[in-house]
Amino acid sequence: MQPIAEYSVSARPCHRIVEVYDADAYLGDEQAIEASRHRVVAGNGYHLYLHTLQPDIHVHITIRLWDTTPPAPAADAEGHTSVAIDSGTGILVVNQLTLGPAGEMTLPHPGVYQGTAWWIGRQAAGDYHAQILQRIDDDWTLESIAQAWAACPTPERYVLDLAHTGPSALEDD
């Protein structure tokens, strides 16, 4: 079974958060952000927040769309949770909070998409980040710190496997 569409982008997790939202859903949601700290991925219907264990190493986000119920998470996934997002515009934005959008995906059509978010490499990237922070001293330059972040041996990856389940509540607005 193959997805009907797939989009991938790399993003920096500002304040340990990467956000996925409908292009017209500008206002954030502090309660959903706080929920992501406990559940890793949480949302409010129009936003999904992905909570990493580190704020400096780019993470990879993949959004896959399916024409049937999405498949189960990868066998080596560290964790997973059910998610839903309402996209009245048919455009999902992957946002780096204070740094701005990392990219956007045009959906086949607007509507509500439901499925599963799962992740791999979250703990390893967090552990690597902590190890590097312990090694940084006055001899390190900004360039050497950036090189250390880029050299993380285990990529941190989040996958949103989604299927269209109905019309958007935003379509009538």
Side-chain angles (χ1 to χ4, degrees):
M1 181 165 70
Q2 295 293 320
I4 59 172
E6 184 170 324
Y7 175 75
S8 292
V9 68
S10 177
R12 183 172 173 207
C14 298
H15 306 290
R16 299 181 184 208
I17 297 287
V18 174
E19 174 184 28
V20 177
Y21 63 90
D22 177 70
D24 274 351
Y26 298 108
L27 298 177
D29 184 327
E30 289 299 321
Q31 289 180 322
I33 291 173
E34 185 59 31
S36 75
R37 297 186 198 294
H38 304 286
R39 295 187 1 222
V40 182
V41 178
N44 65 1
Y46 305 105
H47 296 261
L48 291 174
Y49 297 97
L50 293 63
H51 183 261
T52 73
L53 296 175
Q54 52 79 28
D56 297 303
I57 301 168
H58 279 75
V59 300
H60 304 281
I61 293 100
T62 300
I63 302 169
R64 301 189 303 192
L65 303 179
W66 303 87
D67 59 0
T68 61
T69 302
D76 59 346
E78 290 175 20
H80 61 88
T81 190
S82 296
V83 294
I85 191 162
D86 187 338
S87 179
T89 64
I91 299 171
L92 293 180
V93 177
V94 178
N95 191 37
Q96 306 169 105
L97 294 185
T98 59
L99 297 176
E104 63 181 43
M105 177 184 194
T106 301
L107 303 171
H109 41 80
V112 175
Y113 289 79
Q114 294 179 320
T116 304
W118 53 275
W119 50 93
I120 295 174
R122 181 176 185 262
Q123 187 63 54
D127 292 346
Y128 176 80
H129 185 267
Q131 291 168 4
I132 295 299
L133 285 179
Q134 290 177 347
R135 293 178 33 208
I136 293 175
D137 60 24
D138 291 341
D139 294 332
W140 284 59
T141 64
L142 290 177
E143 182 178 300
S144 60
I145 293 170
Q147 288 172 351
W149 298 149
C152 182
T154 305
E156 185 171 358
R157 181 174 171 220
Y158 295 83
V159 177
L160 303 176
D161 279 325
L162 305 170
H164 184 263
T165 58
S168 172
L170 299 174
E171 287 180 45
D172 296 329
D173 291 347

